[in-house]
Amino acid sequence: MLSSQPRLKAPGAASILPVAASGDRLPILRQYLRIALRWRYVIIGAVVSCILLGTVVTLLMTPKYTATATIEISREADKVTNIPGVDREASVADQEFYQTQYGLLQSRSLSERVARQLRLVDDPKFYQMFGATSNDPAFQLVNGRYPVSGQAIRQRAAGEILLKRLNVDPTRLSRLVDLHFTSPNPDFSARIANSWAENFIETNLERKIQATSYGRNLLQRQLADYKQRLDASQRQLVGYASAEQIINLPSQTASDNRTTSERSIVADDLAALNTALSQATADRIQAEARYEQAGRAGASTEALRNVAINNLRQRRAELAAEYQQLMVRFEPGYPAAQALKSQIDQLDRSIGREEGRVSGSLQADYREAQQRQNALQAKVNQLKASYLDLRRRSIQYNIYQQEVDTNRALYDGLLQRFKEIGVAGGVGVNNVAIVDPADVPQKPSSPRLLLNIAASILAGLVIGAALALALEQIDEAIADPAEVERRLGLPLLGSVPKVEDQTPKEALKDRKSELVDAYLAIQTNLAFTTEHGVPRSFAVTSTRPAEGKSTTALALATTLARGGRRVILIDGDMRSPSVHHLGGVDHDRGLSNFLSGDDNIGALTFSMKDLGFTAMSAGPIPPNAAELLTGNRLSLLIERLLESYDHVLIDSPPVMGLADAPLIAGRVEGVIYAVEAHGIRATMVQIALGRLSSANAHVLGGVLTKFEARKVHSGYGYGYGYEYGYSYGRDRSAAKA
């Protein structure tokens, strides 16, 4: 039995049902998808409107043509006077240079220069092409021409017109820059693009020439100043040298044949004499050694090398040999031996004389070398004194010489720089070059129909999404079953589809209809609201009339009766009764009679055999129904009916504007609240629920009536296995079992 299943109680006025999980907050993407599906026609309408508007605007737009000229901007100009061989590598700091060049390409002065060169300043057709009309006197034609007095104003206006239609597009990671110019005339666009590139090159050259001219003038003034300083210092140096008798000769290096220093005559003489003194000293030492050697040995090496002495010695040796041979056979007194002896003695005297003459020659050479050394030593000593005196007098001279050298170095450096600037300024090398001149465009660059349609679709989607979100915020109608719990705080018992082409009673008779399936699911969920299953007494109410509360009461009575329960349905709306119409009787006798004191309950009821339950009409309409409900007669009626019936259902009147519904809700075990889908505002339902809460009513849950799943496309339907109330509720009840 359903009543035997375990139940969960809500911590408050309402019970948490097994289907309460359906009221959990949806993920953000699913919420947006639900909103988009709900307001899909608004979004589609916005997209279609934007597409139509974009197409019409595109077709009405004036075609525009874009001409493109490509230029190359180098970091530095190519070297001409100095040839390094390789361009300087780019660095991060080069970005500052290129950004400066891009700014110069978009300068107002350049645009006005182009306008002047192409004679656009005084061309009325130019201003008419771009719709530049003004009430300024400078733009008023006089005899078909503009006044000369307003030329400056027109020039600025022409420059602004050109500048607005120019686009500078640098190519990433390169030195190429594309200049795009757009206008309604293709020939005009090409002219402007090419003229812009040419004028940029010209202005770049002019800036360089101006900078070179300024530098050249500055260097020229500095050269004149340093020339005067150099002349003055040279005159001062020469004057001091003349006064002090300082005579210096220029010295040259062998490497570059360039004068590097000066040398004095005294220093040259001293160096030469000192060299001669060193040589004389060496000669004297050598002569002295030869002389002393000759005195000690008796015969010097010169004597030994003398030819005459050697010949005499040889002759003596021969005679001595012959003499010795004679002595072997004869006595010394032998005449021949005496003759040989006399010759030997004569040769000895000749050798002695020759050796004496050689020794005298060595002595003379020694004395001469000694005298020459002494003379040179005296001269060197004299030159040393002169050189020291010259050094003392050259201190100030060197100071003047350094000043001359400094002035000459500065002057030479400035002169070299002046020559380089003159050569560079004369050559006029430019670091900007035209790579591709602009061609006349053959087709318009705008408008682009496909691009505009794509943009229109995107704009339509954005506008449609904004409208959908705005309407979602403004619309307070309950359109989604999940919103019953999220926005109203009510557990959702189920959702009921809208019945079309038949009455609710006819739909209830068809046990295979979607309406029967929906209310079976609601009945199943209702069994979890109390510990004993379906409440024995409960009322069905709503915020306002025609929300489906009577149909809900009728359907629940029918489903309970078909489950073998004894059910009675009471029409509690004594102001606008409706149950008697379903039974085909009048409301002459009913609830109002019992509340007035009639205790014959059997006479007040009638049977609805086609649906299987008993009903009680509202009875005669009383003057004030609320007064009848204030007593305890309604509680007594419910108590007596529960003795004979399993369930007592009351079709309660609406809550808003009447006091009947809160009074009835306080007498029953629980209240089922019917909410019309896509109709009632959530704020009104919240106010009505507040009134029931004030009456201590126990709201069992909400039923979403007249629900149309096709309006939300959020996964709710009533096909096989997809109905929200029937399938979900049955699955949850099976899980509980």
Side-chain angles (χ1 to χ4, degrees):
M1 295 296 292
L2 291 174
S3 60
S4 64
Q5 304 300 327
R7 283 115 180 141
L8 297 175
K9 281 290 185 178
S15 300
I16 297 181
L17 303 180
V19 297
S22 64
D24 293 345
R25 179 175 291 275
L26 295 175
I28 187 67
L29 292 179
R30 291 186 60 187
Q31 292 186 37
Y32 287 146
L33 179 61
R34 181 187 62 78
I35 294 173
L37 292 174
R38 180 181 179 187
W39 302 102
R40 61 189 179 280
Y41 295 113
V42 174
I43 297 175
I44 293 174
V47 172
V48 172
S49 300
C50 287
I51 291 175
L52 293 176
L53 180 61
T55 304
V56 172
V57 171
T58 300
L59 296 177
L60 294 178
M61 289 176 63
T62 302
K64 294 182 179 180
Y65 299 85
T66 300
T68 302
T70 303
I71 62 175
E72 179 188 7
I73 303 177
S74 302
R75 178 61 180 89
E76 292 179 350
D78 295 335
K79 301 293 184 181
V80 175
T81 56
N82 298 326
I83 305 176
V86 182
D87 291 340
R88 189 175 67 87
E89 294 183 358
S91 63
V92 178
D94 293 342
Q95 294 300 321
E96 178 182 355
F97 168 78
Y98 284 109
Q99 292 298 327
T100 303
Q101 298 301 310
Y102 304 152
L104 293 175
L105 279 169
Q106 301 177 79
S107 62
R108 179 177 56 83
S109 60
L110 182 57
S111 63
E112 293 179 2
R113 180 189 180 106
V114 173
R116 286 196 308 270
Q117 186 188 54
L118 298 180
R119 299 180 180 178
L120 303 177
V121 177
D122 298 325
D123 188 0
K125 296 180 180 179
F126 167 73
Y127 298 103
Q128 293 174 3
M129 181 189 304
F130 297 100
T133 58
S134 176
N135 296 326
D136 194 288
F139 292 92
Q140 304 302 319
L141 293 174
V142 179
N143 297 327
R145 292 186 176 182
Y146 289 122
V148 179
S149 58
Q151 190 173 23
I153 298 175
R154 293 193 302 274
Q155 178 175 324
R156 179 178 290 272
E160 293 176 354
I161 292 172
L162 296 179
L163 197 56
K164 288 179 181 178
R165 287 155 181 82
L166 179 78
N167 181 27
V168 177
D169 183 19
T171 302
R172 182 175 174 80
L173 301 178
S174 73
R175 296 181 293 185
L176 300 180
V177 181
D178 293 332
L179 303 178
H180 306 288
F181 187 82
T182 304
S183 74
N185 190 325
D187 295 329
F188 183 79
S189 297
R191 286 174 55 204
I192 294 298
N194 289 326
S195 179
W196 206 285
E198 294 170 358
N199 279 274
F200 179 68
I201 294 175
E202 292 177 3
T203 55
N204 190 39
L205 286 173
E206 290 176 0
R207 283 194 300 272
K208 288 189 175 182
I209 292 174
Q210 290 176 358
T212 303
S213 176
Y214 175 79
R216 186 166 55 248
N217 294 335
L218 177 61
L219 288 176
Q220 193 170 8
R221 292 193 298 269
Q222 291 180 344
L223 279 172
D225 183 22
Y226 280 101
K227 182 66 168 59
Q228 294 178 358
R229 294 184 185 181
L230 179 59
D231 293 342
S233 61
Q234 286 179 339
R235 285 193 294 269
Q236 186 180 29
L237 177 65
V238 172
Y240 181 80
S242 300
E244 296 295 332
Q245 295 296 316
I246 299 175
I247 301 174
N248 292 332
L249 299 177
S251 62
Q252 296 180 344
T253 61
S255 59
D256 55 0
N257 195 27
R258 208 174 35 166
T259 299
T260 58
S261 62
E262 291 183 348
R263 54 191 177 87
S264 64
I265 296 178
V266 176
D268 285 352
D269 293 343
L270 179 60
L273 289 177
N274 190 55
T275 302
L277 176 61
S278 298
Q279 184 63 39
T281 302
D283 293 343
R284 191 266 307 168
I285 293 173
Q286 185 179 7
E288 184 179 3
R290 289 198 305 268
Y291 175 71
E292 290 179 355
Q293 182 182 5
R296 289 193 302 269
S300 63
T301 53
E302 282 78 2
L304 295 176
R305 290 195 296 265
N306 192 284
V307 177
I309 294 176
N310 289 333
N311 290 333
L312 292 175
R313 289 180 184 276
Q314 184 177 4
R315 179 60 181 164
R316 182 184 181 282
E318 293 174 354
L319 293 177
E322 292 178 2
Y323 180 75
Q324 290 297 330
Q325 291 177 358
L326 290 176
M327 288 295 102
V328 173
R329 291 181 298 170
F330 301 104
E331 291 292 333
Y334 184 70
Q338 291 181 351
L340 288 175
K341 179 65 175 172
S342 176
Q343 291 179 3
I344 291 172
D345 294 338
Q346 183 64 35
L347 288 174
D348 288 337
R349 289 191 294 271
S350 297
I351 291 172
R353 287 194 299 269
E354 289 295 329
E355 288 180 352
R357 187 172 59 83
V358 170
S359 297
S361 176
L362 289 176
Q363 184 179 9
D365 290 341
Y366 166 68
R367 290 177 179 175
E368 180 184 1
Q370 189 175 23
Q371 292 176 358
R372 183 169 177 268
Q373 177 187 1
N374 294 334
L376 288 174
Q377 183 65 51
K379 188 63 176 177
V380 166
N381 292 336
Q382 181 182 359
L383 288 177
K384 284 182 178 179
S386 300
Y387 180 73
L388 292 176
D389 181 63
L390 177 64
R391 290 289 298 273
R392 287 192 295 270
R393 289 182 289 114
S394 296
I395 293 176
Q396 187 63 36
Y397 177 85
N398 291 333
I399 295 174
Y400 292 152
Q401 182 66 49
Q402 290 176 359
E403 184 177 357
V404 170
D405 294 340
T406 302
N407 292 333
R408 180 178 290 109
L410 293 174
Y411 179 79
D412 291 341
L414 289 174
L415 183 60
Q416 180 64 26
R417 183 60 178 163
F418 180 78
K419 292 178 180 179
E420 291 177 357
I421 290 179
V423 173
V427 173
V429 177
N430 188 34
N431 64 328
V432 182
I434 298 177
V435 178
D436 289 325
D439 294 331
V440 178
Q442 302 301 317
K443 59 181 180 179
S445 58
S446 65
R448 297 182 181 178
L449 182 60
L450 295 179
L451 182 61
N452 289 352
I453 290 177
S456 300
I457 293 174
L458 180 60
L461 290 174
V462 173
I463 295 174
L467 289 175
L469 291 175
L471 292 174
E472 182 71 16
Q473 296 297 324
I474 296 174
D475 185 18
E476 295 185 356
I478 306 297
D480 194 325
E483 294 181 355
V484 174
E485 182 174 358
R486 178 168 56 85
R487 300 179 66 175
L488 303 179
L490 285 179
L492 179 64
L493 298 176
S495 56
V496 181
K498 186 176 182 179
V499 178
E500 298 179 353
D501 301 331
Q502 59 181 345
T503 63
K505 186 175 181 181
E506 294 174 349
L508 290 173
K509 290 181 179 180
D510 183 6
R511 298 199 177 193
K512 296 182 180 180
S513 66
E514 294 180 350
L515 191 67
V516 174
D517 289 341
Y519 279 109
L520 282 174
I522 294 173
Q523 177 189 337
T524 303
N525 293 329
L526 193 61
F528 292 92
T529 57
T530 65
E531 295 179 354
H532 54 272
V534 179
R536 298 197 63 192
S537 63
F538 59 89
V540 181
T541 186
S542 63
T543 305
R544 64 183 184 183
E547 285 196 68
K549 61 176 182 60
S550 298
T551 301
T552 300
L554 178 66
L556 289 176
T558 302
T559 56
L560 288 172
R562 288 175 179 173
R565 311 290 183 87
R566 291 171 297 169
V567 181
I568 182 171
L569 174 62
I570 301 174
D571 189 353
D573 192 355
M574 294 179 287
R575 302 175 189 270
S576 179
S578 59
V579 175
H580 64 281
H581 294 295
L582 301 175
V585 299
D586 55 25
H587 59 93
D588 292 339
R589 297 185 62 79
L591 177 61
S592 61
N593 296 102
F594 184 86
L595 296 178
S596 300
D598 189 352
D599 292 331
N600 188 4
I601 297 177
L604 303 179
T605 61
F606 62 93
S607 176
M608 297 189 68
K609 296 181 180 180
D610 51 351
L611 298 179
F613 61 86
T614 304
M616 178 183 290
S617 69
I621 299 176
N624 192 342
E627 293 181 359
L628 295 177
L629 295 172
T630 53
N632 61 352
R633 293 289 294 177
L634 179 60
S635 301
L636 178 62
L637 175 63
I638 295 173
E639 182 180 352
R640 292 180 58 181
L641 289 176
L642 289 177
E643 295 175 357
S644 303
Y645 296 95
D646 296 325
H647 301 285
V648 177
L649 278 72
I650 300 178
D651 181 10
S652 176
V655 178
M656 295 302 294
L658 301 174
D660 301 2
L663 293 173
I664 294 174
R667 304 295 192 275
V668 295
E669 189 175 352
V671 176
I672 297 176
Y673 203 91
V675 180
E676 181 183 2
H678 316 290
I680 188 68
R681 290 187 301 165
T683 53
M684 293 185 62
V685 179
Q686 292 171 356
I687 294 173
L689 291 174
R691 293 192 62 187
L692 293 178
S693 178
S694 301
N696 296 323
H698 181 200
V699 181
L700 301 174
V703 175
L704 188 64
T705 62
K706 302 180 183 181
F707 176 63
E708 297 180 68
R710 59 183 178 82
K711 289 187 176 181
V712 293
H713 280 267
S714 54
Y716 302 100
Y718 292 91
Y720 179 76
Y722 294 97
E723 54 270 37
Y724 173 81
Y726 177 67
S727 176
Y728 182 75
R730 188 177 296 179
D731 292 342
R732 291 301 299 266
S733 62
K736 288 292 183 179

